[in-house]
Amino acid sequence: EVALALLQNVAYSSEGVASILRNGGVPAVLAAMRAHAPTAAVQRVGLGVLWNLCDSDDHWAAFLLEGPSLVAVLLGTLQLHRSEPRIEESCIDMLWDFSSTGDGQAHILSAGGVPPILAAMRAAAVPDEGSPPDLDLQKKALSMLWNLTISAQGISTLVRHDGVAVVLLVMRAHREVHEVQQNALGVLRNISDASEGQRGLLRARGLRLLLETLETHSKCDEILELCL
């Protein structure tokens, strides 16, 4: 934990980031997180190191080189520490960042990433009494699913794991939040390109909600474009 905290501090500077990446820091951080998977403090600091590295354009080469390991560690941490909002949100942030590339999308799908992402979204849509809704998590998670459903594999995986129902649940929980609605509609628009996705949308009885969203956000060009 102390060693990771030191790396996190070093990674606040561009020179520190470059040095960590150049000296194989990413696999070392992942190995430490893997070895101490149940320890929340280690996971928090490890995620902090990785997140600081994201500020560098050079991080992609190292991240993509460790793609399968990176995704596996993030998904494992997400599943083990569901009661830790800070850890959960950091994992979703990192996976979202990774999903912006084709390789990243493939790694997330092949690692079985959709079910734990959906589980986090489902839990965040119905927070414990007194807990505020985690809008940032939902926005990032929906944006990630939008990326993942570019491919036929992503569409099939989302539908198979009842992801349409989760997307609709989040839309209902945040009807007035423009970015949530836009990202959710992006996911539904992608899956509607496939017959499997169309059946999933109809099975989840999503058409009424789509019409309600169209009416609520009738002055928003981005939402109108996705709905029509």
Side-chain angles (χ1 to χ4, degrees):
E1 182 184 347
V2 174
L4 288 173
L6 175 60
L7 283 177
Q8 185 176 10
N9 288 338
V10 171
Y12 281 120
S13 73
S14 57
E15 291 139 338
V17 167
S19 181
I20 291 170
L21 293 174
R22 188 170 58 250
N23 288 284
V26 173
V29 171
L30 294 177
M33 292 176 69
R34 196 181 298 111
H36 302 279
T39 308
V42 171
Q43 302 307 305
R44 276 194 294 271
V45 182
L47 289 166
V49 178
L50 294 174
W51 188 249
N52 284 350
L53 296 178
C54 285
D55 285 338
S56 164
D57 291 336
D58 297 328
H59 78 282
W60 278 116
F63 275 20
L64 292 176
L65 187 63
E66 299 295 328
S69 296
L70 174 63
V71 168
V73 167
L74 291 174
L75 290 172
T77 301
L78 181 63
Q79 292 173 286
L80 275 175
H81 299 281
R82 289 178 177 169
S83 61
E84 295 275 352
R86 182 179 163 192
I87 289 178
E88 189 175 56
E89 189 167 335
S90 294
C91 288
I92 292 293
D93 270 346
M94 293 285 300
L95 289 165
W96 167 74
D97 188 44
F98 210 54
S99 76
S100 64
T101 70
D103 285 341
Q105 294 159 21
H107 291 322
I108 293 170
L109 291 171
S110 63
V114 169
I117 292 165
L118 293 174
M121 294 171 65
R122 191 181 290 111
V126 189
D128 295 334
E129 188 174 350
S131 299
D134 195 337
L135 277 175
D136 285 338
L137 183 145
Q138 299 291 23
K139 291 174 186 177
K140 291 285 179 66
L142 286 168
S143 180
M144 175 166 32
L145 293 180
W146 194 350
N147 291 336
L148 294 177
T149 52
I150 290 172
S151 68
Q153 181 188 0
I155 292 172
S156 178
T157 302
L158 184 76
V159 173
R160 189 168 67 252
H161 291 284
D162 205 22
V164 177
V166 175
V167 172
L168 296 175
L169 174 67
V170 176
M171 290 180 72
R172 291 188 184 99
H174 305 289
R175 291 176 186 268
E176 303 299 325
V177 182
H178 167 87
E179 192 173 349
V180 167
Q181 299 300 311
Q182 182 177 340
N183 290 351
L185 288 170
V187 179
L188 298 179
R189 178 67 178 268
N190 277 355
I191 70 167
S192 72
D193 285 338
S195 58
E196 183 179 12
Q198 295 164 16
R199 289 193 298 272
L201 184 57
L202 292 172
R203 191 162 56 244
R205 299 179 180 176
L207 288 184
R208 175 176 293 182
L209 181 58
L210 293 181
L211 293 173
E212 291 173 0
T213 302
L214 185 59
E215 183 177 355
T216 302
H217 298 272
S218 59
K219 295 182 179 180
C220 176
D221 291 343
E222 293 91 345
I223 286 180
L224 287 176
E225 185 177 349
L226 288 166
C227 281
L228 298 176

